[in-house]
Amino acid sequence: MTGSNATAAEMEEALRADGVRITRQRAALLKVLAEADDHPDANELHRRAREIEETVSLATVYRTLSALESQGVVHRLAFEGAPARFETTDAPHHDHIIDVETGAVIEFRSEKIEALQALIAEELGYEVVRHRLELYCRKRK
Amino acid sequence: MTGSNATAAEMEEALRADGVRITRQRAALLKVLAEADDHPDANELHRRAREIEETVSLATVYRTLSALESQGVVHRLAFEGAPARFETTDAPHHDHIIDVETGAVIEFRSEKIEALQALIAEELGYEVVRHRLELYCRKRK
DNA sequence: TTCAATGCAAACCCTTTGCACGGTA
DNA sequence: TACCGTGCAAAGGGTTTGCATTGAA
């Protein structure tokens, strides 16, 4: 979103540290992820990765994204009635505004909302493991 | 959730007002929805409806839920990596806590969070059409 | 009587997986 | 060399849809 994405090298390191091999296909996907400043879905990532390395299959894209996700390098975003979209987890936690007309995604962060969530959960005897906050919005005129 | 669900008769009226016919199958589903104080998925609603009227197919459950949803009588909840769950829209808007261990769903409402959301969107030039806030929680010990 | 609603089964879409081959470490 | 990662195609799971039939109004 902001150009402050994790670099491909950083993600590579995270993968290697976990004993995961860096193949041509994965290198291509990491590059695509590092350069993405939108929130592409698997298909779009596949399309972009193919421009770098044509022997990338969609299955590999999904498998690699799962690996990256389980190592906390990538987040899977599941918006309403749409295929999952992905983002690197370079930036601190944030939530999303989805433009209902264009599908554009804007990131935001509110400490106040975070604090309120924790408070509400606590009052009900829970602690928040993770949360999801999505604002489906329209541009004001 | 609270026993304050819309009654089957109320939902029937809402449907009739829109020119929708009340069949045996739909009557059964409405009864099930009215009596549900959890948040069942389509399969579970199908199972329950069949106990009342055995000739209800899953297709009809989905078709009727879509009709009810588009008339604003029912909400479709799409939690992470799980089939959609449904609730009647008797109560005012609220958000959900999902117990990550049991799958239980608790409703809550926070005016403060609602207000903050509107404010954040506004600052970014948007107005909120709808939102989704889900707290995936664990019971505190 | 009319035309919406139905059940069934096939189709859909996104995602995951089994298998035999290929390439990284 | 060892074995993880790969492409391909098929399977999976939830949901929708085409079609001929049934039934609500």
Side-chain angles (χ1 to χ4, degrees):
Chain A
M1 196 70 225
T2 55
S4 67
N5 274 0
T7 66
E10 284 164 354
M11 288 190 271
E12 225 182 274
E13 201 42 50
L15 286 178
R16 276 188 212 281
D18 213 69
V20 174
R21 293 180 184 172
I22 307 303
T23 60
R24 279 175 287 119
Q25 292 84 349
R26 287 186 171 163
L29 180 57
L30 294 188
K31 188 163 191 294
V32 166
L33 283 169
E35 290 174 357
D37 54 5
D38 47 359
H39 298 73
D41 62 21
N43 241 321
E44 175 62 16
L45 289 168
H46 181 217
R47 199 190 61 68
R48 294 182 195 176
R50 281 230 229 212
E51 291 177 359
I52 299 173
E53 166 55 57
E54 58 179 38
T55 75
V56 186
S57 71
L58 185 55
T60 289
V61 170
Y62 274 111
R63 278 188 281 233
T64 303
L65 286 170
S66 294
L68 290 167
E69 189 187 13
S70 69
Q71 280 151 56
V73 185
V74 152
H75 269 161
R76 178 186 299 247
L77 311 174
F79 298 144
E80 286 182 356
R85 300 171 69 158
F86 298 85
E87 64 179 11
T88 58
T89 53
D90 48 303
H93 168 76
H94 54 255
D95 296 300
H96 298 95
I97 285 177
I98 298 95
D99 185 316
V100 292
E101 269 147 25
T102 69
V105 175
I106 295 102
E107 301 175 355
F108 71 90
R109 174 169 177 79
S110 165
E111 303 299 342
K112 284 185 189 169
I113 288 183
E114 302 281 323
L116 280 170
Q117 289 174 2
L119 188 63
I120 289 164
E122 194 174 338
E123 282 170 358
L124 292 166
Y126 284 93
E127 59 185 325
V128 179
V129 175
R130 63 184 185 283
H131 75 261
R132 177 153 81 164
L133 172 56
E134 293 154 15
L135 306 182
Y136 294 85
C137 296
R138 186 173 324 172
K139 263 232 148 62
R140 299 174 67 211
K141 290 152 194 166
Chain B
M1 194 72 223
T2 56
S4 68
N5 274 0
T7 66
E10 284 164 355
M11 288 190 272
E12 224 182 275
E13 201 42 50
L15 285 179
R16 277 189 211 281
D18 213 69
V20 174
R21 293 178 184 176
I22 307 303
T23 60
R24 278 174 289 119
Q25 292 85 348
R26 287 187 171 163
L29 180 58
L30 294 187
K31 188 161 190 296
V32 166
L33 283 169
E35 288 172 0
D37 54 6
D38 47 357
H39 298 73
D41 63 20
N43 242 322
E44 176 61 16
L45 289 169
H46 181 217
R47 200 190 61 68
R48 294 182 195 177
R50 281 228 228 215
E51 291 176 0
I52 300 173
E53 165 56 56
E54 57 179 37
T55 75
V56 185
S57 71
L58 185 55
T60 288
V61 169
Y62 273 111
R63 278 189 279 233
T64 303
L65 286 170
S66 294
L68 289 167
E69 189 188 13
S70 70
Q71 280 151 57
V73 184
V74 153
H75 269 160
R76 175 186 300 246
L77 310 174
F79 299 144
E80 285 182 358
R85 300 171 68 159
F86 299 85
E87 65 179 11
T88 59
T89 53
D90 48 303
H93 168 76
H94 54 255
D95 295 301
H96 298 94
I97 286 177
I98 297 95
D99 185 317
V100 292
E101 268 146 26
T102 68
V105 175
I106 295 101
E107 301 176 354
F108 71 88
R109 173 168 178 79
S110 165
E111 302 298 343
K112 283 185 189 168
I113 288 184
E114 302 281 323
L116 280 169
Q117 289 175 0
L119 188 63
I120 289 163
E122 194 174 338
E123 282 171 357
L124 292 165
Y126 285 91
E127 59 186 325
V128 179
V129 174
R130 64 185 185 282
H131 74 262
R132 177 154 82 162
L133 172 56
E134 292 155 15
L135 306 182
Y136 294 86
C137 296
R138 185 175 313 149
K139 263 229 148 60
R140 298 174 69 210
K141 289 154 195 165

